[in-house]
Amino acid sequence: MEEKSRSLRGDLIKWAREEQGLTMRWVAEHGGPCLGYQSEVENKKKAEVRSDKLTRWIKALNVTEQFVRGHIQRYLDEPAACRGLAADVGKMVLESGRNWTTLTVGERAREVLCLISRESRQLPRVVLAHVLGVELRSLDALMSGEMPFAPLLVKALSDLTTLPESFYTHGIREMVAAEAQADYTVVIEVARQEGISPAALLTLIKHHKKGD
């Protein structure tokens, strides 16, 4: 007996198809179910599809199984549930060795957005538009630079990639410097709580240097 895949979100399947300007006939011709079956699922009369058929269907629509099952939330609705969805791209950015400080805030955001669209396992282009709560054409306009980035979108990218907002506002070098400064701030606060005066702390540092 062939395995079934249940609880599909017909409304999301329909949204993904229409956002790309695809007809049911085109989807059927590119691996998806027949027109009648698609219609029944999109209109919520059916919520189950054989796993082999579902695999071909989501490939034709350029989406993911998590998306068509409704497991991927919109960022504005559930920010916490979206955090890390593109962490694989965040890691790619950090390991790229690129000097991101030469770009503007908008340029950095656009480049990361394009990377997510191309490289993310969980957020291919159509799913990314859904998560950001924008139409597909608006996402394309953001990636091409035809539409400016709002601060909320930068915050969303920060959460999706787990890259701190300081990366988008300044770039990796400044980000690292800011994090290092934060570490020193913690040390100074501990010294203050222990009653170590600034003069005593400087003396300790000098003795440490002499010891080296």
Side-chain angles (χ1 to χ4, degrees), residues 3-14 16 41 47-55 57-58 61 63-73 127 130:
E3 180 186 354
K4 300 282 186 178
S5 298
R6 299 179 180 275
S7 302
L8 298 177
R9 286 279 303 275
D11 57 327
L12 293 177
I13 291 173
K14 182 178 182 179
V41 172
E48 58 179 51
V49 179
R50 289 199 314 269
S51 59
D52 58 332
K53 184 175 291 186
L54 178 60
T55 298
W57 197 355
I58 62 179
L61 291 175
V63 293
T64 66
E65 184 172 348
Q66 290 287 91
F67 170 76
V68 298
R69 288 184 182 281
H71 295 166
I72 303 292
Q73 304 298 319
V127 182
H130 167 78

Side-chain angles (χ1 to χ4, degrees), residues 133-149:
V134 299
E135 295 180 344
L136 198 55
R137 62 182 178 181
S138 297
L139 176 65
D140 291 339
L142 285 167
M143 292 193 294
S144 67
E146 296 173 21
M147 183 182 293
F149 267 82

Side-chain angles (χ1 to χ4, degrees), residues 2-6 8 10 13 17 24 27-28 31-54 56-57:
E2 293 181 287
E3 180 186 354
K4 300 282 186 178
S5 298
R6 299 179 180 275
L8 298 177
I13 291 173
R17 180 178 62 77
M24 288 185 184
V27 173
C34 66
L35 276 63
Y37 208 106
Q38 289 184 62
S39 179
E40 286 187 303
V41 172
E42 287 193 3
N43 289 295
K44 301 180 180 180
K45 294 178 181 177
K46 276 186 182 292
E48 58 179 51
V49 179
R50 289 199 314 269
S51 59
D52 58 332
K53 184 175 291 186
L54 178 60
R56 294 194 298 271
W57 197 355

Side-chain angles (χ1 to χ4, degrees), residues 89-163:
V89 172
K91 182 179 179 182
M92 187 183 303
V93 168
L94 290 175
E95 293 177 349
S96 67
R98 179 175 178 180
N99 181 6
W100 292 84
T101 62
T102 60
L103 305 178
T104 66
V105 175
E107 289 170 342
R108 273 190 289 274
R110 277 195 297 274
E111 296 231 8
V112 173
L113 193 65
C114 290
L115 272 175
I116 295 173
S117 176
R118 293 195 309 267
E119 306 291 344
S120 174
R121 292 186 297 272
Q122 298 193 75
L123 299 181
R125 176 169 162 265
V126 182
V127 182
L128 178 58
H130 167 78
V131 169
L132 294 177
V134 299
E135 295 180 344
L136 198 55
R137 62 182 178 181
S138 297
L139 176 65
D140 291 339
L142 285 167
M143 292 193 294
S144 67
E146 296 173 21
M147 183 182 293
F149 267 82
L152 182 59
L153 281 176
V154 175
K155 176 67 169 64
L157 281 181
S158 174
D159 282 337
L160 292 175
T161 58
T162 68
L163 291 169

